[in-house]
Each structure stands twice: as structure tokens, then as C-alpha cells.
Amino acid sequence: MSATTPETPTKLQLLELLAAIGTAQWRDFAAAAAHHGLTSTQAKVLAQLNGPLPMRALATLLVCDASNVTGIVDRLEGRGLVRREADASDRRVKNVVATDEGRDVIRRVREEMQATHGALDTLGAEDSATLYALLARLRPGMEKDA
Amino acid sequence: MSATTPETPTKLQLLELLAAIGTAQWRDFAAAAAHHGLTSTQAKVLAQLNGPLPMRALATLLVCDASNVTGIVDRLEGRGLVRREADASDRRVKNVVATDEGRDVIRRVREEMQATHGALDTLGAEDSATLYALLARLRPGMEKDA
DNA sequence: CCCGATGCTTGAGGAGGTCAAGTAAATGCT
DNA sequence: AGCATTTACTTGACCTCCTCAAGCATCGGG
């Protein structure tokens, strides 16, 4: 234990801090999305659409019922941010693809998460790398389902 | 750049990782809450109630409209997890206080966030302290509103 | 060829969220 | 004191998100 090592936090403190940061980032995201007339759920869906994605895949990613995705995509399609395309090899599936406008909007939403960007900017390269490495170690355990 | 220093991540990578962890933790929390018949929002409210809290204060903490809190507290009160008490010095305000059962339930929810607990357990004391310190530096910037 | 599994939509119903309006109580300004 | 403004909460209308049950179309394996 070197002189510069901070006190070891309790697991509860760490949990609470992690929750606070998660909440803050989510609010930042929701605010940026709202700026473009999107709910946070709609923005989240848009954020997944790097390529065409079947409805089912979307439901799996969001960990929700397929029927829920129908409604969300309906609303996104209504605004012209997304398109349903027939799948070439399976006529049951509909691939969802972001329109040019959709891609543009989600790019701006990401850029406009000012609180998050600002906070991350206070970290130097070395601290960023350390944080990244620690979070990367946490991730697999967190995403495992009970 | 020493041999053991990991590559510096881009801000986008760090942002994405932070979002993933936040999402995973939220899901863990929601699952634990559901185990006790609570929605995640209800559990979140219950988690704030260390002492009596006026409806208005609750709305401010949750960053939502006061009318929304009315409904959430109605449902919690219906299950006997919470009580509305008249305020001694201002007859307009109603203080919300957790019942014994309410306190018990939220304590169990926290304990049952297994994915999160499991992930945090993989970190040693020193790594925990490092992570805690880095997140603590991030927090104020993240909670500042745009 | 038929039968079960898969992909999507629809409809009913609950919870979370906002806004506008209403009531009751506190505060503040002459 | 008295009247106007503000503040705390509730109600009602209306939307989105979410789940479950049911239905339809298509796919794939005996």
C-alpha cells in the first residue's frame, strides 16, 4: 500500500457510484435524443442499426418482446428515420435499416452528449486507458444473466 | 508508452463501454426488483427513501414531473411498502416514508444484484480503489446539466 | 405433404411519462 | 390585515414502452 493509494471503497460504495454514473449518462443520452424529437428507446434502437437487422435480432439485443419492437420501429419509420426491407432469403423476416436521415440524427445525438463528453475529457490518456481496462474486465461478468 | 500500458482507447470506445456497463447494471437491478414484484422505477423510488421525503423532493431527484410521482407512490402505498405522512410545518406537503416491509424489500433487491456483485468481486482491493477514484472524478462532470 | 417451429403483427391492458387545470395552503407586498 | 402570487399535490387526457395471448405467413424436417 503506497502512500498515494486511496482508501479501499466498500462494495456498496462502488455499486452506488457505478449506478450514479450510469444514471447520469442515461439522462445525458435521453436529453440529446429529446433534442431531436426522439425518446431514448427510439434513439437506442437507431444506435444499433449499423447494418440491416431483422426485427427479431433487435428484440434480442434490447432484451424485450418482439411485439414491442414492432411499435418502436413503426414510429421510427413514420418519421422516415428507418425503413423495413424484405429479406432476400426468408420472406418472414423484415430487415430494419436506418435511412440517411436516421444515421445523421443518431450521429448528432452521440455528439451532443455534452456532459459525458465533458467528463471524459477531464481524463488524460493514461487514466482513460486504466479506466477502459478496468471496465473491460467488469463487462463480461455484468452481462452474464443470472 | 511502457510495454504494460494498454492502448489508449478512443473516446467513442470508452463511451460505448460505459454505456454497456450502465445498461447491464440497470438490467440486473430491474431483474432483482421484478423478483419482488416491483418495477425498476418503483425500486428506484424506494431506494431514495432513507428518511421521510416530500413528493416534490422525490420528483426533483428523479428529474420528472410531480404528477408522475403521485402515481408511483400510489402503487407503492397500495402494496404497503410506503406511507404518506402529513408534514408538521407545512400542510401542503406530504412526506413519503418507507414502511418496515419497504425497507426490507429494497435491502433484498440490492443484495440480489448478483451479476453486479459477481463482477465487482473479480476486482481486487487495489483495482477497486483505482476504479472508485476514477469514477469519482468523472461523476461531477456527468451530473452537471447541459 | 403436412406439422411444428419461427418471424412478425395485432389487441388488450398496465406502468411510466408529460402537460394543463384545479385545489389548498403558505408567502409576500402594500 | 388583505389580496395576489407562488408552491405542493392531485386529477384527467394522452402518448410511449412493455408484456402476454392470439393470429397469420413462411420455413424446414419427417
Side-chain angles (χ1 to χ4, degrees):
Chain A
M1 302 184 215
S2 85
T4 58
T5 299
E7 286 302 314
T8 301
T10 67
K11 196 156 71 166
L12 217 82
Q13 287 176 310
L14 195 43
L15 198 117
E16 197 270 336
L17 183 52
L18 211 48
I21 300 245
T23 299
Q25 195 196 15
W26 181 253
R27 273 212 266 272
D28 198 23
F29 180 67
H35 234 254
H36 294 272
L38 294 177
T39 65
S40 33
T41 301
Q42 289 164 358
K44 193 170 181 174
V45 166
L46 214 39
Q48 311 286 332
L49 295 178
N50 292 325
L53 223 52
M55 303 286 287
R56 187 80 262 279
L58 228 27
T60 301
L61 281 172
L62 303 188
V63 194
C64 76
D65 194 273
S67 66
N68 192 14
V69 178
T70 298
I72 299 166
V73 171
D74 278 352
R75 288 178 282 269
L76 283 172
E77 199 170 27
R79 291 173 183 233
L81 302 177
V82 124
R83 226 175 17 239
R84 276 170 168 100
E85 288 183 353
D87 186 280
S89 64
D90 186 337
R91 287 190 303 188
R92 289 172 302 179
V93 355
K94 298 182 186 169
N95 289 298
V96 184
V97 2
T99 61
D100 287 347
E101 192 186 347
R103 270 187 291 276
D104 202 59
V105 165
I106 192 59
R107 183 183 49 73
R108 281 192 236 177
V109 167
R110 273 195 260 254
E111 285 171 3
E112 287 172 19
M113 294 177 63
Q114 300 183 1
T116 303
H117 284 297
L120 291 182
D121 283 340
T122 66
L123 256 41
E126 195 169 332
D127 286 336
S128 291
T130 305
L131 179 60
Y132 190 83
L134 285 169
L135 292 178
R137 273 173 55 198
L138 241 39
R139 184 173 189 172
M142 302 268 306
E143 288 178 346
K144 208 178 317 182
D145 35 351
Chain B
M1 300 184 215
S2 86
T4 57
T5 299
E7 286 301 317
T8 301
T10 67
K11 197 157 66 167
L12 218 81
Q13 286 176 311
L14 196 44
L15 197 117
E16 197 272 333
L17 182 52
L18 212 49
I21 299 243
T23 300
Q25 194 195 17
W26 181 252
R27 274 211 266 272
D28 198 23
F29 180 67
H35 237 255
H36 294 272
L38 293 177
T39 66
S40 33
T41 302
Q42 287 165 359
K44 192 170 181 173
V45 165
L46 213 39
Q48 312 285 332
L49 294 179
N50 293 326
L53 224 53
M55 304 286 287
R56 187 79 263 278
L58 226 28
T60 301
L61 281 172
L62 303 188
V63 194
C64 74
D65 194 273
S67 66
N68 193 13
V69 177
T70 298
I72 298 166
V73 170
D74 278 352
R75 288 179 283 269
L76 283 172
E77 199 171 29
R79 293 175 181 229
L81 303 178
V82 123
R83 228 178 14 243
R84 277 171 167 99
E85 288 183 352
D87 187 279
S89 65
D90 187 338
R91 287 190 304 187
R92 290 172 303 176
V93 355
K94 298 182 186 170
N95 290 297
V96 184
V97 358
T99 61
D100 288 346
E101 192 186 347
R103 270 186 291 275
D104 202 57
V105 166
I106 192 59
R107 183 183 49 72
R108 280 193 238 176
V109 168
R110 275 195 259 253
E111 284 170 4
E112 288 172 18
M113 295 177 63
Q114 300 184 1
T116 304
H117 284 297
L120 291 182
D121 283 340
T122 68
L123 256 43
E126 195 170 333
D127 286 337
S128 290
T130 306
L131 179 59
Y132 190 82
L134 285 170
L135 292 179
R137 273 173 56 197
L138 241 38
R139 183 172 189 172
M142 302 268 304
E143 287 178 346
K144 210 178 313 177
D145 35 349

